[in-house]
């Protein structure tokens, strides 16, 4: 059996560090926020080349408070992509604003920067690119357009811890960057978690208040806030795991390079890493027009795969009220029909990669 993600293998490798870290929280009783969260905020912000880190209880909450700090609210529009996890669009909805979609670039699955200008209206407040699968969107044109139109840029870096764009770390390129620490992410908590990083002290201050009931001092609520605090145990676990993140990221990149070379010349479409990017391979997705049959055949051989994501957000029932229809974003729709995510985690062995690729090459030869 080859799992899609192997959280157990990773836990086994750090069990001696993570146990005492959790015990430390039990001893100190700093269950929510507290010194481990503060230390983790500093360390993860530094890792992401940003000045401030604001720990929250999920990546979705990170997006929500970042949008609020940018002043996004009812009547506003936020430009984003339909080929993403639904949370990106849900966070915009939570603010009362409307998501306006642009299609993706077929090579990278990230925002098609040539489509942005046509989507800007007098109501546009922000651009929200998604660094899908761990590869940053093409940020320079996005920043240039945003500057010209006075828009805030918020990066959805939920899948892109440690990814780089022209040497700059994901999350620190735009005005704010939002991360998820969902367990299966490249840096995953043992529960839920998220963080916004920013270089802007005003945004940082607002978000610190918003995540903790809008108060800077206890019971002095100056903003209408939320209970989005990051738990102490998650801060302690994430601090331990952050120390290993570079080594795990390099292991993912090696696993991706192994897939690339084993599948080269086969006619199977493998991911394209752009010259500007350090791709961190949260997901390694191939493309095939025979996806359902391939996924079933692989499953039959004990090889677990995933689909990220089968339905673009503009075609989800929950967001039908945005008024889009099939055919509006053909690149996203085609990607949603063709992508197939192969097993990808730092501990993936060479022999596991070979088994996966041998099965794929056989399927390709048969079709
Ligand atoms: C692109 C993207 N944005 C946002 C999120 C939301 O993060 P969370 O699940 O931590 O709320 C996720 C992950 O789930 C994601 O993959």
């Amino acid at each position: 059996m080859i799992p899609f993600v192997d959280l157990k293998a990773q836990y086994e490798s750090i069990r001696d560090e993570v146990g005492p870290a959790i015990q430390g929280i039990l001893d100190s009783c700093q269950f929510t926020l507290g010194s481990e969260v503060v230390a983790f905020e500093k360390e993860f912000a530094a890792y992401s080349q940003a000045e401030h880190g604001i720990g929250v209880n999920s990546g979705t909450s990170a997006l929500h408070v970042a949008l609020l700090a940018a002043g996004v609210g009812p009547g506003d529009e936020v430009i984003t992509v339909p080929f993403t996890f639904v949370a990106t669009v849900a966070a915009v909805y939570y603010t009362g604003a409307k998501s306006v979609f642009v299609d993706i670039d077929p090579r990278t699955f990230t925002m098609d920067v040539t489509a942005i200008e046509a989507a800007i209206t007098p109501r546009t407040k922000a651009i929200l690119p998604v660094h899908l699968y761990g590869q940053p969107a093409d940020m320079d044109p996005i920043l240039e357009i945003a500057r010209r139109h006075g828009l805030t840029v918020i990066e959805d870096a939920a899948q892109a811890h440690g990814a780089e764009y022209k040497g700059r770390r994901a999350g620190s390129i735009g005005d704010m960057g939002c991360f998820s620490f969902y367990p299966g992410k490249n840096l995953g908590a043992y529960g839920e978690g998220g963080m916004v990083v920013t270089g802007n002290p005003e945004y940082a201050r607002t978000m610190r208040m918003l995540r903790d009931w809008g108060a800077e001092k206890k019971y002095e609520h100056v903003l209408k806030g939320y209970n989005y605090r990051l738990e102490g145990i998650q801060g302690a676990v994430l601090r331990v795991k952050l120390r290993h993140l570079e080594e795990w990221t390099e292991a993912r990149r090696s696993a991706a390079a192994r897939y690339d070379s084993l599948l080269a010349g086969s006619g199977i479409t493998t991911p394209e890493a752009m010259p500007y990017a350090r791709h961190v391979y949260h997901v390694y997705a191939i493309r095939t027009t025979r996806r359902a049959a391939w996924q079933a055949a692989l499953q039959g051989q004990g090889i677990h795969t995933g689909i990220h994501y089968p339905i673009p957000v503009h075609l989800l029932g929950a967001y039908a009220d945005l008024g889009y229809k099939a055919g509006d974003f053909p690149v996203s729709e085609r990607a949603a029909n063709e992508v197939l995510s192969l097993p990808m985690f730092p501990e993936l062995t060479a022999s596991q990669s070979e088994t996966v690729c041998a099965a794929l090459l056989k399927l390709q030869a048969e079709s």
Side-chain angles (χ1 to χ4, degrees):
M1 206 273 284
I2 303 178
F4 177 63
V5 172
D6 194 345
L7 296 184
K8 245 194 185 131
Q10 187 167 91
Y11 170 62
E12 292 301 338
S13 75
I14 55 169
R15 124 190 244 139
D16 293 346
E17 292 170 83
V18 96
I22 292 173
Q23 187 61 50
I25 296 295
L26 299 179
D27 292 337
S28 73
C29 293
Q30 292 192 334
F31 293 117
T32 188
L33 298 177
S35 57
E36 289 293 301
V37 168
V38 169
F40 175 61
E41 287 176 332
K42 288 206 171 85
E43 290 161 8
F44 188 74
Y47 175 80
S48 301
Q49 299 174 348
E51 215 160 317
H52 309 277
I54 298 90
V56 290
N57 62 348
S58 73
T60 310
S61 301
L63 288 164
H64 187 195
V65 295
L67 288 159
L68 291 173
V72 172
D76 295 332
E77 293 176 356
V78 176
I79 295 175
T80 189
V81 287
F83 194 58
T84 182
F85 182 60
V86 69
T88 314
V89 179
V92 175
Y93 166 73
Y94 297 164
T95 68
K98 185 181 167 206
S99 286
V100 171
F101 294 132
V102 297
D103 213 341
I104 54 165
D105 182 314
R107 294 165 304 169
T108 59
F109 305 106
T110 58
M111 186 174 274
D112 176 355
V113 296
T114 66
I116 299 171
E117 297 244 42
I120 295 174
T121 76
R123 292 170 182 267
T124 309
K125 236 346 190 319
I127 307 178
L128 177 48
V130 180
H131 303 326
L132 202 75
Y133 299 165
Q135 170 151 257
D138 190 3
M139 291 302 291
D140 276 348
I142 294 173
L143 293 170
E144 190 276 316
I145 293 165
R147 260 195 300 273
R148 221 159 2 91
H149 293 269
L151 308 174
T152 308
V153 175
I154 299 169
E155 299 168 62
D156 184 336
Q159 304 186 359
H161 319 72
E164 289 174 14
Y165 177 80
K166 300 184 183 173
R168 284 173 284 166
R169 284 268 157 102
S172 69
I173 308 162
D175 297 289
M176 288 174 268
C178 304
F179 292 88
S180 164
F181 305 123
Y182 181 74
K185 292 290 195 275
N186 287 25
L187 180 61
Y190 287 166
E192 305 279 351
M195 191 176 292
V196 188
V197 300
T198 183
N200 182 317
E202 266 314 301
Y203 288 154
R205 182 169 165 248
T206 302
M207 292 188 286
R208 260 180 226 295
M209 287 198 267
L210 286 172
R211 69 148 179 213
D212 193 11
W213 291 119
E216 214 157 35
K217 277 203 210 128
K218 204 163 182 173
Y219 303 129
E220 282 183 34
H221 305 276
V222 293
L223 297 173
K224 293 187 179 71
Y226 302 83
N227 177 357
Y228 283 172
R229 294 178 297 248
L230 181 61
E231 292 186 345
I233 286 180
Q234 306 313 333
V237 168
L238 287 162
R239 281 191 82 192
V240 168
K241 294 183 84 176
L242 181 58
R243 296 202 286 266
H244 298 271
L245 184 57
E246 274 305 288
E247 159 206 331
W248 289 336
T249 298
E250 283 309 315
R252 282 178 184 274
R253 286 168 53 75
S254 301
R258 226 155 44 216
Y259 276 146
D260 286 346
S261 74
L262 290 166
L263 298 175
S266 67
I268 295 172
T269 311
T270 53
E272 198 167 327
M274 301 305 279
Y276 58 64
R278 180 195 195 205
H279 195 322
V280 296
Y281 294 99
H282 175 58
V283 164
Y284 184 99
I286 60 162
R287 296 181 76 133
T288 167
T289 52
R290 293 174 290 273
R291 181 175 68 190
W294 285 23
Q295 188 171 35
L298 293 169
Q299 181 74 24
Q301 297 167 57
I303 300 168
H304 296 204
T305 56
I307 297 174
H308 303 91
Y309 297 91
I311 308 171
V313 181
H314 71 288
L315 300 181
L316 288 175
Y319 289 97
D321 59 347
L322 290 174
Y324 295 108
K325 58 182 187 316
D328 283 348
F329 303 104
V331 184
S332 294
E333 290 168 34
R334 201 177 142 206
N337 286 326
E338 295 183 357
V339 289
L340 181 64
S341 313
L342 304 186
M344 175 51 74
F345 48 91
E347 300 78 13
L348 189 77
T349 64
S351 114
Q352 286 175 317
S353 313
E354 281 157 19
T355 305
V356 172
C357 291
L360 282 170
L361 293 174
K362 189 153 172 285
L363 286 166
Q364 172 76 349
E366 286 164 2
S367 52

